[in-house]
Amino acid sequence: MQAVQVSTELIDKYGLAGPRYTSYPSALHFADDFQDDQFLQDLKAQKDPISVYIHLPFCRTMCWFCGCNKIVTRKQDKADRYLDYLAKEMLLWRAQLTDVKVGQIHFGGGTPNFLNPQQIDRLNALLRCYLPLTPDVEISVELSPDVLTEDQVWAFSRLGAKRASIGIQDTSPIVQEAVNRPQPMECNINAVRWLREAGFTSINVDLIYGLPHQDRESFKQTIQDVLELEPDRFALFNYAHVPWFKPTQKVFASDIFPNPIAKLDIFQDSRETLEAAGYTFIGLDHFAKHEDELAKAWNNGKLQRDFQGYSVTESKAILGIGLSSVSQSPKAYRQNHKELEDYEAALDAGQLPLAKGLALTVDDGIRRTVINRLMCQLKLDFSDISDELGIDFAEYFDTSLVDMQELVTDGFVEMTDTGIAVTELGRFFLRNIAMQFDAYRERQAGRCSQTL
Ligand code: SF4
């Protein structure tokens, strides 16, 4: 794959704020007065096993770049208390899941391996006691190698986890110091060895480009270092600089970031190296070995996208449990309280800890399908999607298609009477292309991270 040339004019024109489209509408539009009825109705109607996301929010230190919902603490007993409340929440959900099974569980954070092995074993017992799991439930976990121990890996293995995603971000000591995340390669090497020995069958590595002091040469070294670990997948995320939303990011001086051209160069270098090493470039920012099921899903048009990014999971409903967790169903999103005090108070009152949400309109549902299809398949067949959604696509999106002409002229999209397809150049501007179908784009301007 030859490097694509991206001009400064295009970067200036399209370097806008825009959603990552892990959901549509984005969480910015969730409302405080949302009632749970629609979500509960959708949940109970599920015929196939659902997915569950469980948020474990604690971290020992703060990484300055972080955009997650987390609680930084050294007090291990906070996790004991949190598990008490997770148990209360699971018990409330169990009452709603009388005819529904759980086929997948993902633990995210925060740092799930903030929990010590005894706490992970207790979490295992809670799951088995309170959630209606399928016998072959698939379990995955996000891990931070800098604080990971071998005993924790075995505890997650006892819990049934077979997939892990490890956060590395960048291996340069200069970058690590700037973002307050020292993580010698030894930690990463140990993490991967322990996971393989414990029988984990899939390891993903998270990297971030666009961090302070990164440049092409330093990030080439990061990619080489991580390739030595032979992960099954990579996620190569564009750093989201949103200091108005995540104030810890204000510690960064504005002149220490790579500029948009340097970021695109870093991404293209990485893509070239990873493709040469046997990884398939997937969607916006993922890579997987050719034989990995994520790469197969991409090639078969079965790729999915949800709050955790790209996946092969086909669940129509994802139930979020724990602080700040988001749930999604065919017609609604809901989010738990983000503050621990509010989360606990709701559960002490015997209520689900609902903070806000959104019941999708028919229009939201249509646009969600269209945007998701673009993000996962990079193309739209007007006839197929018209049949699927019960609309005349060209008529429904007449304004979007007129606006799309400019993207055709700029070389991002090829459009015919039957459909549109994103070009290689357009993959760098995928979020901008999806924005053409976003009815909320004016309202969310300036509240999202930069697309480039
Ligand atoms: S360990 Fe992960 S969740 Fe915690 S502060 Fe760092 S990046 Fe954020």
Side-chain angles (χ1 to χ4, degrees):
M1 169 66 220
Q2 270 208 321
V4 175
Q5 295 305 316
V6 184
S7 68
T8 45
E9 288 76 27
L10 288 179
I11 288 173
D12 289 344
K13 184 173 171 185
Y14 290 100
L16 311 167
R20 289 170 186 257
Y21 294 113
T22 51
S23 73
Y24 180 84
S26 87
L28 291 171
H29 306 290
F30 293 179
D32 295 341
D33 60 356
F34 172 78
Q35 301 295 318
D36 245 342
D37 314 20
Q38 181 65 63
F39 179 77
L40 296 179
Q41 196 181 319
D42 282 358
L43 191 63
K44 286 177 181 163
Q46 294 307 305
K47 300 269 181 282
D48 296 323
I50 64 162
S51 295
V52 164
Y53 170 81
I54 299 181
H55 195 67
L56 300 168
F58 303 107
C59 297
R60 290 200 196 289
T61 52
M62 170 77 83
C63 310
W64 301 136
F65 60 83
C66 179
C68 303
N69 286 302
K70 73 273 173 191
I71 297 170
V72 177
T73 180
R74 299 258 167 182
K75 294 184 178 159
Q76 195 66 38
D77 60 350
K78 288 208 172 194
D80 291 318
R81 182 181 167 104
Y82 187 71
L83 290 173
D84 293 343
Y85 280 89
L86 276 187
K88 289 186 188 205
E89 190 184 353
M90 286 184 202
L91 203 51
L92 291 175
W93 283 116
R94 189 193 167 100
Q96 304 291 335
L97 296 173
T98 45
D99 295 321
V100 179
K101 294 273 186 214
V102 174
Q104 277 107 15
I105 301 176
H106 180 78
F107 295 101
T111 306
N113 56 302
F114 178 92
L115 272 58
N116 63 32
Q118 295 71 33
Q119 290 166 333
I120 298 166
D121 283 340
R122 183 172 168 221
L123 181 60
N124 185 7
L126 295 178
L127 294 183
R128 313 276 156 192
C129 184
Y130 293 133
L131 295 182
L133 310 182
T134 59
D136 57 350
V137 58
E138 290 173 16
I139 301 179
S140 56
V141 61
E142 295 169 14
L143 299 169
S144 292
D146 53 332
V147 291
L148 185 67
T149 66
E150 189 172 4
D151 287 345
Q152 287 173 317
V153 170
W154 280 102
F156 276 114
S157 173
R158 285 195 291 280
L159 182 147
K162 287 268 181 265
R163 296 178 171 279
S165 181
I166 61 172
I168 294 182
Q169 325 310 351
D170 191 301
T171 62
S172 154
I174 296 168
V175 176
Q176 290 182 1
E177 189 184 334
V179 301
N180 195 36
R181 189 189 169 109
Q183 187 166 305
M185 263 310 280
E186 192 189 356
C187 298
N188 306 327
I189 292 167
N190 284 338
V192 170
R193 181 164 53 82
W194 296 330
L195 288 164
R196 296 286 186 211
E197 284 171 2
F200 279 69
T201 54
S202 176
I203 298 176
N204 172 77
V205 166
D206 281 350
L207 298 176
I208 301 180
Y209 69 101
L211 289 175
H213 302 304
Q214 280 177 340
D215 59 31
R216 290 178 78 170
E217 291 314 309
S218 76
F219 208 75
K220 276 181 186 169
Q221 186 60 50
T222 288
I223 294 285
Q224 288 303 337
D225 290 342
V226 179
L227 274 173
E228 304 263 313
L229 304 173
E230 299 183 26
D232 303 280
R233 300 176 184 175
F234 283 86
L236 183 50
F237 294 120
N238 182 355
Y239 166 60
H241 191 58
V242 286
W244 60 91
F245 183 51
K246 296 289 172 185
T248 55
Q249 296 179 345
K250 289 181 185 162
V251 301
F252 298 135
S254 56
D255 60 351
I256 60 175
F257 294 108
N259 64 33
I261 292 180
K263 283 173 69 179
L264 282 174
D265 285 340
I266 289 171
F267 188 87
Q268 295 217 68
D269 290 344
S270 306
R271 174 182 174 180
E272 206 173 288
T273 307
L274 292 176
E275 287 185 329
Y279 292 83
T280 303
F281 175 30
I282 293 167
L284 182 68
D285 48 17
H286 280 46
F287 296 83
K289 283 186 177 166
H290 298 325
E291 61 278 14
D292 187 277
E293 58 178 352
L294 197 71
K296 288 182 187 159
W298 162 253
N299 290 324
N300 298 338
K302 302 277 186 206
L303 195 67
Q304 307 292 317
R305 188 161 174 82
D306 59 38
F307 274 97
Q308 270 71 60
Y310 287 110
S311 77
V312 297
T313 305
E314 286 197 36
S315 298
K316 294 215 166 31
I318 301 173
L319 172 59
I321 299 178
L323 194 70
S324 74
S325 290
V326 178
S327 304
Q328 87 177 60
S329 71
K331 292 187 186 159
Y333 294 106
R334 70 184 296 287
Q335 184 168 27
N336 278 353
H337 287 294
K338 288 185 180 176
E339 300 298 329
L340 198 55
E341 209 172 80
D342 299 333
Y343 176 75
E344 292 181 353
L347 290 165
D348 283 338
Q351 294 165 359
L352 289 169
L354 171 69
K356 53 188 177 175
L358 183 79
L360 270 69
T361 64
V362 173
D363 181 63
D364 289 337
I366 288 171
R367 290 172 188 273
R368 172 159 88 167
T369 302
V370 170
I371 287 175
N372 212 36
R373 194 64 45 87
L374 266 176
M375 298 300 289
C376 291
Q377 296 184 11
L378 307 185
K379 63 184 180 187
L380 293 172
D381 180 294
F382 296 158
S383 169
D384 287 353
I385 203 142
S386 294
D387 290 348
E388 183 179 335
L389 295 172
I391 58 171
D392 179 328
F393 186 89
E395 197 180 307
Y396 197 91
F397 287 108
D398 55 351
T399 313
S400 302
L401 292 178
V402 170
D403 293 346
M404 190 67 79
Q405 283 299 341
E406 196 168 352
L407 303 185
V408 174
T409 306
D410 285 331
F412 299 170
V413 172
E414 286 166 357
M415 184 154 61
T416 64
D417 291 344
T418 59
I420 60 177
V422 176
T423 63
E424 280 302 320
L425 174 64
R427 286 185 83 168
F428 294 106
F429 299 88
L430 191 52
R431 290 161 69 183
N432 302 79
I433 297 167
M435 280 162 72
Q436 300 301 316
F437 299 98
D438 184 341
Y440 297 81
R441 67 177 162 166
E442 307 296 337
R443 274 177 274 168
Q444 65 210 3
R447 298 166 73 196
C448 306
S449 60
Q450 294 296 111
T451 55
L452 296 175

